[in-house]
Amino acid sequence: MAQEDKFKNVLSHAKEYGFVFQSSEIYDGLSAVYDYAQNGVELKNNIRNYWWKAMVQLHENIVGIDAAILMHPTTWKASGHVDAFNDPLIDNLDSKKRYRADVLIEDYCAKIEAKINKEITKASKRFGDAFNRDEFVSTNPRVLGYQEKIDTILKRLGKSLSDENLADVKALIEELEISDPLSGSKNWTDVKQFNLMFGTKLGASADNTTDLYLRPETAQGIFVNFLNVQKTGRMKIPFGIAQTGKAFRNEIVARQFIFRMREFEQMEMQFFVKPGTQKEWYEKWKENRMKWHLSLGLGKDNYRFHDHDKLAHYADAAADIEFKFPFGFKELEGIHSRTDFDLKAHEEFSGKKLQYFDHEENKSYVPYVVETSIGLDRMFLAVFSKALEDETLENGSTRTVLKLPAVLAPTKAAILPLVKKDGLPEIAKKIVADLQWDFNIAYDEKDAVGRRYRRQDALGTPFCITVDHDTLTDNTVTIRYRDTMDQQRVAIKDLKNIIDQEVSFKHWLQKIG
Ligand code: ATP
């Protein structure tokens, strides 16, 4: 299926099966703002809990907080967001459409990358089993030429952006003859900086208000609480503070569904370390975060690291974990070595010391910070889009199935009485009443059982449990597995264990080691 069609399927499935709705849809929606529906909220909660379990509860030296969205406005002066949280925007004079200049250039590079992939596919067909991908990529002149072109462009873009040389960003767009993807026009304005923070006001009367911002990242709530947590939690370096919560960015171009939203949720962890050890911790967290992703079994080939050429004003090293979304490899998570930039800036602007007394070294210092920051909504999109499959079965019929990792599935099991009589619904409801203490369980008695199976497949429910007439005499039920569609006869009393084995955090997170 073409990538675009696949993405369209993701969008319509998310709506049709109650995962994601456009915000304020009855008023024609609000651009790049979305609501999670009855199944979406379960999936989203499960992703958040999977992260929290792995990052907070399974680490003795990491604790969580939940800081407010509104913060003292000086926070954003200190963090650099007032002065530097900008994206370079460019307008097309003919189509009147607005774009992020850096994204136009990156999309241009993605097209060259698609050519590389085409060469690889062609060669792998030609050479069959003898094909060695790594060797081909490192020796084929055409591929090397394409790669060199990408590297040169991205290096120049990185340099122009970090030098704030916006004229050169425009020059690059012109030299590459990049046209408006919608109209084909090359009639561009100059590139301008645009601050992404949403402003709001605190206070009742017009002449007595304070200008505030909706936080554009959750990290600053952690930094300003660094000493509070360290002291009250008696934390010893190295230690981490984690939180999940809403962040807001007035994105210039918000396309691609929940990939780029104006209101979204982040899951961040700031790890405080001794100065000089940050590189080592940065590498460790890169590895640990990749393992977390791989533990979900969505396929190793769908992830890659992208090391940054252009570093943010606070970082001495940064990498993204990119995921293969239906529209190509894009950032899913950032791992940043943020130095002591934030704590030092807050010391300076607040006049309060934000230092740690290291008993081993017998001295105080401002710790360095390694951050892991992942968008919950992007993770939702990654899991959801990878899980959605249209399968053709052996008998030629098709089914739509959402092969979500069972640990994240919104509903763990659906209990289905074969018919709506003979006491079967009563037994089924008793099973629901028992299992719902431990799992999110659905009950469904409408339509033929085959249709009910399909409905649960499309919702990603890993188990369907059918109560039939034999159940009346032998207390067994049929359990059907979503992915294989295998069916087994099992005792009702064993259901809890069977489900738990497949959906428990332990079963999945143990793989990280
Ligand atoms: P991008 O380059 O895609 O704009 P970023 O580098 O600005 O992202 P960070 O500031 O590093 O992103 O934020 C950390 C994570 O938050 C990102 O990896 C992403 O998963 C998520 N995120 C950032 N912006 C958005 C958004 N507008 N909508 C949804 N998730 C977002």
Side-chain angles (χ1 to χ4, degrees):
M1 190 186 298
Q3 282 191 338
E4 264 168 43
D5 293 341
K6 165 94 197 180
F7 192 42
K8 272 193 201 140
N9 273 357
V10 167
L11 263 70
S12 60
H13 196 86
K15 178 166 183 203
E16 192 183 341
Y17 285 90
F19 283 87
V20 183
F21 300 146
Q22 173 82 57
S23 158
S24 335
E25 198 190 65
I26 59 166
Y27 295 106
D28 297 332
L30 186 64
S31 162
V33 186
Y34 292 91
D35 297 337
Y36 286 87
Q38 65 277 14
N39 294 306
V41 69
E42 296 287 344
L43 173 56
K44 193 179 174 199
N45 286 343
N46 291 343
I47 297 173
R48 193 192 297 104
N49 292 339
Y50 192 70
W51 182 89
W52 192 265
K53 181 58 128 184
M55 295 297 283
V56 181
Q57 297 182 345
L58 289 175
H59 281 103
E60 234 172 84
N61 60 348
I62 300 180
V63 292
I65 64 165
D66 182 15
I69 287 170
L70 299 177
M71 299 183 70
H72 192 285
T74 310
T75 310
W76 307 109
K77 268 311 264 181
S79 67
H81 283 80
V82 171
D83 296 324
F85 194 55
N86 302 319
D87 273 344
L89 74 80
I90 190 165
D91 290 304
N92 187 280
L93 288 164
D94 293 327
S95 71
K96 307 278 181 266
K97 290 277 172 209
R98 176 161 283 187
Y99 295 92
R100 254 175 74 175
D102 54 337
V103 172
L104 282 178
I105 295 169
E106 280 164 12
D107 285 352
Y108 180 89
C109 290
K111 280 191 195 138
I112 309 178
E113 195 173 329
K115 287 186 189 164
I116 295 181
N117 288 334
K118 234 182 185 166
E119 294 288 339
I120 294 172
T121 313
K122 245 176 26 200
S124 76
K125 272 194 195 136
R126 189 154 19 105
F127 294 114
D129 287 345
F131 182 63
N132 180 333
R133 189 183 189 281
D134 290 343
E135 192 186 320
F136 179 75
V137 170
S138 59
T139 54
N140 180 276
R142 245 197 310 258
V143 170
L144 288 174
Y146 287 141
Q147 192 57 51
E148 196 188 330
K149 194 164 177 200
I150 295 176
D151 293 345
T152 312
I153 295 170
L154 291 182
K155 202 161 166 209
R156 177 157 156 209
L157 174 66
K159 183 160 174 7
S160 323
L161 289 175
S162 56
D163 294 351
E164 298 251 341
N165 184 353
L166 299 181
D168 192 56
V169 177
K170 176 161 185 200
L172 189 55
I173 288 178
E174 285 175 339
E175 281 167 39
L176 297 173
E177 300 188 5
I178 295 176
S179 57
D180 178 344
L182 286 177
S183 66
S185 152
K186 292 179 192 147
N187 193 4
W188 296 110
T189 61
D190 286 343
V191 178
K192 282 186 295 226
Q193 291 289 23
F194 175 78
N195 192 289
L196 301 181
M197 281 198 294
F198 279 104
T200 185
K201 289 192 186 298
L202 178 121
S205 67
D207 48 349
N208 193 17
T209 56
T210 310
D211 286 320
L212 297 184
Y213 296 104
L214 301 184
R215 67 180 177 198
E217 63 176 23
T218 57
Q220 298 304 324
I222 293 178
F223 291 127
V224 299
N225 278 303
F226 157 72
L227 215 51
N228 282 340
V229 174
Q230 190 271 319
K231 289 219 162 111
T232 56
R234 301 156 64 89
M235 308 301 292
K236 279 213 177 76
I237 268 180
F239 73 90
I241 306 177
Q243 80 165 324
T244 69
K246 285 280 171 94
F248 301 82
R249 296 183 187 179
N250 198 0
E251 298 281 0
I252 296 170
V253 186
R255 289 172 299 185
Q256 296 166 326
F257 194 37
I258 55 172
F259 179 82
R260 189 173 299 287
M261 301 156 92
R262 297 202 162 101
E263 172 181 342
F264 59 101
E265 194 164 336
Q266 289 185 314
M267 307 192 284
E268 297 199 304
M269 193 279 296
Q270 312 293 327
F271 200 69
F272 299 91
V273 305
K274 194 150 96 178
T277 63
Q278 70 272 20
K279 277 268 144 62
E280 181 192 323
W281 284 108
Y282 169 72
E283 293 304 331
K284 272 194 189 151
W285 279 111
K286 266 176 79 173
E287 189 190 335
N288 181 290
R289 291 304 304 149
M290 186 57 103
K291 280 191 183 161
W292 181 85
H293 285 286
L294 295 179
S295 73
L296 288 169
L298 300 179
K300 203 163 180 263
D301 292 345
N302 293 314
Y303 301 87
R304 69 182 188 195
F305 281 113
H306 165 74
D307 294 313
H308 284 212
D309 291 323
K310 182 205 167 204
L311 293 174
H313 57 278
Y314 51 73
D316 72 357
D320 297 335
I321 293 178
E322 294 187 335
F323 184 78
K324 199 169 176 190
F325 288 96
F327 36 83
F329 270 104
K330 296 271 179 208
E331 171 176 346
L332 171 59
E333 170 159 8
I335 293 127
H336 310 124
S337 175
R338 286 182 84 126
T339 67
D340 55 1
F341 174 87
D342 301 88
L343 289 180
K344 274 216 166 123
H346 287 305
E347 276 199 325
E348 191 190 317
F349 279 76
S350 68
K352 311 260 164 44
K353 275 211 172 322
L354 291 175
Q355 303 199 352
Y356 171 80
F357 183 75
D358 191 325
H359 286 276
E360 277 164 29
E361 304 250 333
N362 202 27
K363 67 172 191 199
S364 294
Y365 53 76
V366 177
Y368 269 49
V369 173
V370 175
E371 159 185 87
T372 71
S373 173
I374 174 171
L376 175 48
D377 313 87
R378 272 193 203 177
M379 186 63 198
F380 184 111
L381 183 60
V383 173
F384 190 87
S385 57
K386 194 49 63 191
L388 186 61
E389 281 183 24
D390 278 323
E391 242 180 28
T392 306
L393 306 177
E394 271 172 24
N395 65 7
S397 67
T398 56
R399 71 163 181 161
T400 299
V401 53
L402 199 57
K403 291 188 172 170
L404 294 171
V407 65
L408 301 182
T411 303
K412 302 307 184 198
I415 317 297
L416 320 171
L418 187 62
V419 290
K420 254 193 278 182
K421 54 182 186 184
D422 304 336
L424 303 189
E426 287 73 16
I427 299 179
K429 283 181 187 163
K430 246 178 90 188
I431 296 176
V432 173
D434 183 36
L435 293 179
Q436 69 188 0
W437 291 102
D438 297 291
F439 315 106
N440 193 30
I441 301 289
Y443 173 80
D444 189 1
E445 58 176 27
K446 287 181 225 95
D447 301 324
V449 79
R451 287 198 49 190
R452 283 182 265 166
Y453 284 157
R454 289 289 184 276
R455 206 148 51 219
Q456 295 301 329
D457 286 345
L459 293 170
T461 308
F463 303 104
C464 282
I465 291 156
T466 305
V467 174
D468 58 21
H469 291 94
D470 288 342
T471 313
L472 296 169
T473 50
D474 64 5
N475 283 320
T476 65
V477 287
T478 299
I479 186 164
R480 171 190 180 267
Y481 293 80
R482 177 195 67 198
D483 296 350
T484 57
M485 296 187 290
D486 284 347
Q487 301 192 10
Q488 277 171 15
R489 204 70 196 171
V490 301
I492 292 175
K493 67 173 171 39
D494 293 336
L495 284 173
K496 184 180 164 210
N497 269 345
I498 295 171
I499 300 171
D500 192 57
Q501 283 230 333
E502 299 266 337
V503 309
S504 74
F505 282 152
K506 191 170 179 186
H507 172 80
W508 292 79
L509 282 172
Q510 254 177 181
K511 291 175 224 159
I512 297 182

